[in-house]
Amino acid sequence: MIDWLYSLPETLVLVAGALVMAGAILALPSLVHRLPYLRTSNESNDFVLRMQATLFTMTSLVLAFTLVEAESNFRKADSLVATEASQINRLDRLLNRYGDESVTELRLNLLAYAKAIVDDEWPAMLRGERSDKVRLAFAPLSRGIFEIEPRPGRETTIYAEILRSFDSIAESRDARLNAVSLSLPAPYWQVVLFAVLMLLFITSTLQRSAFRAYVLSAQMAVMGAFIGFVFIMDQPFKGQTAVDAQPLRQTIVLMENRDR
């Protein structure tokens, strides 16, 4: 994929896709009609119209299936971030309920960890890197939790929940970092590209008229905008509508205001 396109406004990507497809169907016929054995007639034109309709339907179905897969990846990435934020918030609540002053510093460490994810690791993550700042913030939190010595009864019960939440946070971070590279497999785009090229070729063999040119360019513009939309949704952490750190920011606010 051409990743630099994600730096452009998404509306521009959609318009560019529509214009490229519309322009292609307006320009290609003059080239295709020069090829041997591709001169059109009324008989061949009727056959091409039926083939074009079938191929357009098949290509649309392929794109629809591809969009479903891209949207599924987006929801998965969004869910991972929301789950991680929820687990951090849950651990902070448990530490708060523990009721011992010895865990007060652990809450501060957890807050520092959450802030490091948003401020430092999120930009690094988009570059395919891990954050040393987050690792350093995680270390004292880990040591502190395992150094807790709960008294029998209520503290022991809460401590068991604290351990489970802590393990879940570590797992959620790994899942989020792995999801950065989440995207459609290359074969999806190869099939889409092949189908679109065949559709353009078949459509270009039709007899031309001004009316038909306008209608076909509109049809291909819709197809191009659809392709642009699939591209926008393909990589969940890139683009204007990308999954962001908002759930983590909201969790930080809750943690800072807890017990105030």
Side-chain angles (χ1 to χ4, degrees):
M1 282 301 162
I2 307 174
D3 287 345
W4 63 268
L5 288 174
Y6 287 104
S7 63
L8 301 176
E10 291 178 353
T11 302
L12 181 59
V13 174
L14 295 175
V15 171
L19 291 178
V20 168
M21 289 292 288
I25 202 57
L26 291 174
L28 281 176
S30 60
L31 300 175
V32 172
H33 288 174
R34 296 178 183 178
L35 298 175
Y37 309 110
L38 287 179
R39 290 187 177 87
T40 58
S41 64
N42 290 333
E43 181 180 353
S44 63
N45 199 60
D46 183 62
F47 173 74
V48 170
L49 280 172
R50 292 197 297 269
M51 288 293 297
Q52 197 269 353
T54 301
L55 191 54
F56 181 82
T57 301
M58 292 176 62
T59 304
S60 298
L61 289 174
V62 170
L63 276 172
F65 180 74
T66 304
L67 178 59
V68 169
E69 290 296 313
E71 188 179 7
S72 176
N73 288 341
F74 186 92
R75 289 198 303 268
K76 178 181 178 181
D78 189 50
S79 177
L80 286 174
V81 176
T83 299
E84 183 177 16
S86 176
Q87 289 167 344
I88 291 174
N89 187 43
R90 183 172 186 272
L91 179 56
D92 185 66
R93 287 200 312 269
L94 289 169
L95 290 172
N96 184 48
R97 290 174 185 172
Y98 191 79
D100 194 306
E101 293 185 359
S102 62
V103 303
T104 301
E105 186 176 352
L106 292 181
R107 292 187 63 196
L108 295 176
N109 291 336
L110 181 61
L111 180 61
Y113 172 77
K115 288 182 175 180
I117 292 176
V118 173
D119 297 335
D120 191 72
E121 184 163 65
W122 201 271
M125 178 183 73
L126 300 182
R127 300 191 300 269
E129 302 171 359
R130 289 176 177 253
S131 169
D132 289 335
K133 187 175 180 180
V134 170
R135 180 177 57 80
L136 293 174
F138 187 79
L141 177 64
S142 176
R143 287 195 303 269
I145 286 177
F146 286 109
E147 288 173 358
I148 295 176
E149 297 181 358
R151 292 186 290 269
R154 175 178 173 275
E155 289 187 359
T156 300
T157 301
I158 295 178
Y159 183 64
E161 294 296 323
I162 287 174
L163 289 177
R164 278 194 286 269
S165 293
F166 178 72
D167 289 339
S168 296
I169 288 173
E171 292 170 359
S172 293
R173 183 194 176 211
D174 289 337
R176 169 175 50 81
L177 292 174
N178 291 333
V180 174
S181 58
L182 194 65
S183 64
L184 292 170
Y188 277 86
W189 286 107
Q190 292 168 1
V191 169
V192 169
L193 178 61
F194 178 75
V196 168
L197 289 177
M198 290 300 100
L199 177 62
L200 288 172
F201 173 73
I202 294 297
T203 307
S204 297
T205 62
L206 287 167
Q207 287 182 344
R208 309 303 291 180
S209 67
F211 175 79
R212 184 170 287 170
Y214 290 138
V215 172
L216 290 176
S217 63
Q219 183 189 55
M220 293 304 162
V222 172
M223 181 71 69
F226 201 2
I227 293 172
F229 184 54
V230 175
F231 176 82
I232 289 170
M233 297 293 293
D234 183 24
Q235 299 194 37
F237 289 97
K238 295 182 179 179
Q240 290 179 326
T241 58
V243 176
D244 61 16
Q246 185 60 28
L248 290 165
R249 295 190 188 96
Q250 293 173 347
T251 292
I252 290 171
V253 172
L254 291 174
M255 293 168 67
E256 289 177 332
N257 290 281
R258 185 161 282 132
D259 291 341
R260 286 190 178 181

